[in-house]
Amino acid sequence: MDPSAPQLPEKAVTRPPKAPSIRRGDVHQFQTTPASNSEKQDLAMATIDDSDERLLTRIGYKQELKREFTKWSTVSYAISILGVLGSVPATFNVPIASGGPATAVWCWFFGSVMAMCIASSVSELVSAYPTAGGMYFVTKHVVPKKHVPIWSWIVGWCNFLGQTAGASSLAYSISQMILAAVSMNSHFDEKPGDTGDYVFSPTAQQTVLLAIALLLVMGSVCSLTTRSLHRVVMWFAPINVLASLGICIALLILTPNKHSATWVFTHVTDGSGWGSKTFSFLLGFLSVAWTMTDYDGTTHMSEETHDAAIRGPVAINTAVITSGLIGWMLTVTFCFCLGDLEDTIATPTGMPVAQIFLNAGGRVGGTAMWCFVILIQMFTGISAMLACTRMAYAFARDGAFPFSPFWSRVSTRTQTPINSVWLVVFCCCLLNLIGLGSTQTIVAIFNITAPALDLSYVAVILARRWYEHEVKFIEGPFTLGKWGKPLNYIACVWVCFISVVLFFPPVRPVTAENMNYAIAVAVFMGCFALGWWWCGARRVYVGPRTKDLMHSVPTEEEDEEPYRDSEDAEADLLV
């Protein structure tokens, strides 16, 4: 390489997306195939005036969606898709029931650090290719061309099914929260020698029907124009952060007889029945694993974001840091205000955090705090569905679905992929209907969300490292520098380890009622994707279908024959 070529930075930095000048020796962003019988030559790229649309065109896609998301709405969206104030209360029962307060506190802390490794690795990859496909599209540029179809197919379906399960589970959890609020405000029937119960106890049918109604509401919001979505999403993060701070302060002031710091930070139990406090501790990672995922959700909005190559990665990392800190603050506060551990776990509301709110604020104060939790979880559900719809749009654009042209069609009225929105709503409704027949099955489907999404990320990260000597990958504006490789490997090892843990049954002895069927769902997903592939998809699906949308312009110094990708002609090079 020419000595004048820019070198990778020594630490993670964010570089401007527009190069001030172009010199011979600068490396092009994309893989290329030089003309036959020519010697190795330096490549150059013209400065892009309209960096967003021109970059998307250079990648090989036409700009169809409107770019309305700004720096603040992108950060707000990234924070809201994690939604810790809604997700921590929804999953808090798992770590405290498995291993007690210290398990909840330290699993969240350590899990957040590991989440940062995954998120930073994802950010570096999507910065180079900011498209609605997210990590699915990046697959095209980290594996050899002959392997692109199968890799893209598996990663794409893994991501889409994980996103769909995630949006479904959020609607289901919001339904449970709303019905828990109804129970909290119904008459409490005390029974001698028993803890008693509320008069209103929600049924599976009520939970599922309300979840479907919520999915229809979320779908309606996701069908709005991008400008309207930008205006709505702008409020998600401020409300999330302020409500979290307010609830923590209120709980610490109102809760009588708070636990000591020693009990909160050191008390570990063996509530799982596996006979090992260590293993019970590991099961506590479910809460942080379920909450701190969907990192590439923000990148699925890249084609509707200004300066997406920079703002997307920055928003992802900002959201993980902010959510990690707020989530830890909430977890620690809940543990201080936990009350009697066994009574809180066995609360008639069905949710320990709801009981914590009742103990602190009574029926009125507890319900008020719980309403904020429901609101934030609704924000998270809308954000997750929005990411899933854009992934569906990108996947359909590349011909991965039956009737793909219909699902990838962009509405001329809203300039958004409305057909993809309602495809996702329909799939989510089908998943929730399973809850009518088997609660265990639907919980198993929801439990696959985090492993499916995280495995779709690390598959691309690992592929980049596995083929790095065969496929040249040049970073985008956001790069990790020398820290990239260590963080990539840490992310891969962590996801493989935690995925195995999350597939274990949460309690022992294992019965048909408490069995973790997530592994069965994972096997079904794998068989589904590979079966469809071998039955016919491999003959028609070629991976991301980029097109040659730009013309190359030769310089005066070189031969006028342009250098192009021999198959996709994704980039236009000045040679």
Side-chain angles (χ1 to χ4, degrees):
M1 183 180 290
D2 192 298
S4 64
Q7 302 298 313
L8 290 174
E10 289 300 311
K11 59 182 180 180
V13 298
T14 302
R15 301 196 297 270
K18 300 179 181 178
S21 63
I22 302 297
R23 299 170 294 169
R24 288 174 53 82
D26 286 346
V27 181
H28 194 276
Q29 184 73 28
F30 303 93
Q31 300 174 37
T32 62
T33 301
S36 59
N37 300 323
S38 64
E39 298 180 357
K40 184 177 180 181
Q41 301 182 32
D42 295 327
L43 303 176
M45 180 175 67
T47 302
I48 301 175
D49 295 327
D50 189 344
S51 60
D52 292 313
E53 293 187 19
R54 293 292 300 278
L55 176 57
L56 185 62
T57 304
R58 199 176 285 278
I59 288 172
Y61 288 125
K62 179 183 177 182
Q63 181 73 51
E64 295 184 293
L65 311 178
K66 293 194 68 175
R67 294 183 183 270
E68 301 286 0
F69 273 56
T70 63
K71 175 172 63 177
W72 298 114
S73 56
T74 304
V75 171
S76 180
Y77 176 80
I79 292 175
S80 68
I81 203 169
L82 299 179
V84 290
L85 181 55
S87 298
V88 172
T91 58
F92 184 70
N93 63 304
V94 176
I96 62 166
S98 298
T103 294
V105 169
W106 295 115
C107 279
W108 184 274
F109 179 84
F110 188 73
S112 297
V113 174
M114 293 296 102
M116 193 65 206
C117 295
I118 305 172
S120 59
S121 298
V122 169
S123 299
E124 184 179 42
L125 292 174
V126 298
S127 176
Y129 301 96
T131 72
M135 290 289 278
Y136 150 72
F137 180 82
V138 175
T139 308
K140 179 181 175 70
H141 298 280
V142 296
V143 301
K145 290 185 181 296
K146 62 182 179 180
H147 298 318
V148 166
I150 182 64
W151 273 84
S152 299
W153 179 263
I154 293 175
V155 170
W157 273 109
C158 194
N159 190 281
F160 175 70
L161 293 175
Q163 295 267 9
T164 304
S168 301
S169 66
L170 283 163
Y172 194 83
S173 69
I174 297 168
S175 177
Q176 289 178 313
M177 288 178 174
I178 293 174
L179 294 175
V182 176
S183 293
M184 288 162 56
N185 287 276
S186 66
H187 177 69
F188 186 75
D189 185 13
E190 294 188 22
K191 299 177 181 178
D194 195 359
T195 57
D197 205 350
Y198 290 101
V199 172
F200 175 76
S201 180
T203 64
Q205 290 79 7
Q206 292 170 331
T207 304
V208 170
L209 290 176
L210 181 55
I212 291 174
L214 291 167
L215 286 169
L216 295 177
V217 173
M218 292 190 291
S220 299
V221 174
C222 292
S223 298
L224 297 174
T225 64
T226 306
R227 178 176 289 273
S228 298
L229 288 169
H230 151 74
R231 291 171 176 169
V232 171
V233 169
M234 278 284 291
W235 293 98
F236 284 5
I239 295 175
N240 192 342
V241 174
L242 292 176
S244 298
L245 291 171
I247 286 176
C248 287
I249 293 172
L251 287 176
L252 292 173
I253 292 175
L254 297 175
T255 301
N257 305 319
K258 289 180 284 292
H259 290 285
S260 66
T262 301
W263 188 84
V264 169
F265 291 101
T266 64
H267 185 64
V268 178
T269 65
D270 179 21
S272 67
W274 282 93
S276 170
K277 288 187 177 181
T278 300
F279 190 76
S280 294
F281 179 90
L282 294 178
L283 292 174
F285 280 112
L286 176 63
S287 177
V288 66
W290 192 78
T291 303
M292 302 288 276
T293 188
D294 207 0
Y295 312 105
D296 79 330
T298 304
T299 69
H300 292 304
M301 301 299 295
S302 291
E303 295 178 33
E304 295 161 88
T305 304
H306 293 292
D307 297 329
I310 289 180
R311 289 178 177 173
V314 169
I316 292 171
N317 287 279
T318 301
V320 172
I321 293 173
T322 303
S323 299
L325 292 174
I326 293 176
W328 199 61
M329 175 186 70
L330 287 167
T331 301
V332 171
T333 302
F334 293 159
C335 289
F336 270 110
C337 305
L338 195 58
D340 183 86
L341 179 61
E342 298 300 328
D343 289 346
T344 303
I345 293 174
T347 173
T349 65
M351 292 193 167
V353 174
Q355 188 62 49
I356 293 172
F357 289 174
L358 280 174
N359 295 342
R363 179 170 293 181
V364 175
T367 301
M369 288 187 283
W370 193 244
C371 285
F372 275 104
V373 172
I374 295 172
L375 179 64
I376 297 305
Q377 192 75 329
M378 190 67 181
F379 290 167
T380 305
I382 293 171
S383 301
M385 178 172 283
L386 195 56
C388 189
T389 62
R390 283 3 181 213
M391 174 59 197
Y393 159 72
F395 215 20
R397 179 172 60 183
D398 295 328
F401 293 149
F403 312 108
S404 284
F406 176 78
W407 301 122
S408 62
R409 188 178 303 163
V410 175
S411 169
T412 56
R413 185 172 61 86
T414 64
Q415 289 188 271
T416 56
I418 291 182
N419 292 352
S420 290
V421 171
W422 292 101
L423 170 64
V424 170
V425 172
F426 177 73
C427 293
C428 290
C429 289
L430 288 181
L431 289 179
N432 272 277
L433 285 174
I434 296 173
L436 293 174
S438 173
T439 303
Q440 289 78 21
T441 302
I442 196 171
V443 169
I445 293 173
F446 296 160
N447 285 345
I448 202 64
T449 299
L453 289 174
D454 287 349
L455 288 172
S456 74
Y457 304 149
V458 299
V460 183
I461 295 169
L462 188 60
R464 179 198 172 183
R465 293 304 171 189
W466 185 268
Y467 294 112
E468 63 182 335
H469 299 297
E470 186 176 350
V471 179
K472 183 64 176 177
F473 181 89
I474 305 301
E475 294 91 344
F478 181 91
T479 176
L480 298 174
K482 68 180 182 180
W483 295 103
K485 186 172 290 189
L487 290 175
N488 290 169
Y489 286 127
I490 290 173
C492 291
V493 171
W494 168 252
V495 169
C496 292
F497 166 73
I498 199 63
S499 295
V500 172
V501 173
L502 296 180
F503 284 141
F504 267 85
V507 295
R508 191 180 180 187
V510 180
T511 65
E513 288 73 26
N514 62 33
M515 173 62 183
N516 185 351
Y517 292 98
I519 185 64
V521 177
V523 171
F524 172 79
M525 287 172 53
C527 293
F528 168 79
L530 292 175
W532 190 355
W533 172 258
W534 288 109
C535 287
R538 60 194 174 97
R539 289 189 287 270
V540 295
Y541 179 75
V542 297
R545 295 180 177 179
T546 52
K547 302 175 182 178
D548 182 15
L549 300 175
M550 296 184 68
H551 300 288
S552 60
V553 181
T555 66
E556 297 178 356
E557 301 178 9
E558 305 289 344
D559 185 87
E560 295 191 0
E561 182 180 4
Y563 283 81
R564 292 185 180 274
D565 186 304
S566 59
E567 294 181 15
D568 303 298
E570 297 168 328
D572 296 280
L573 306 178
L574 300 181
V575 297

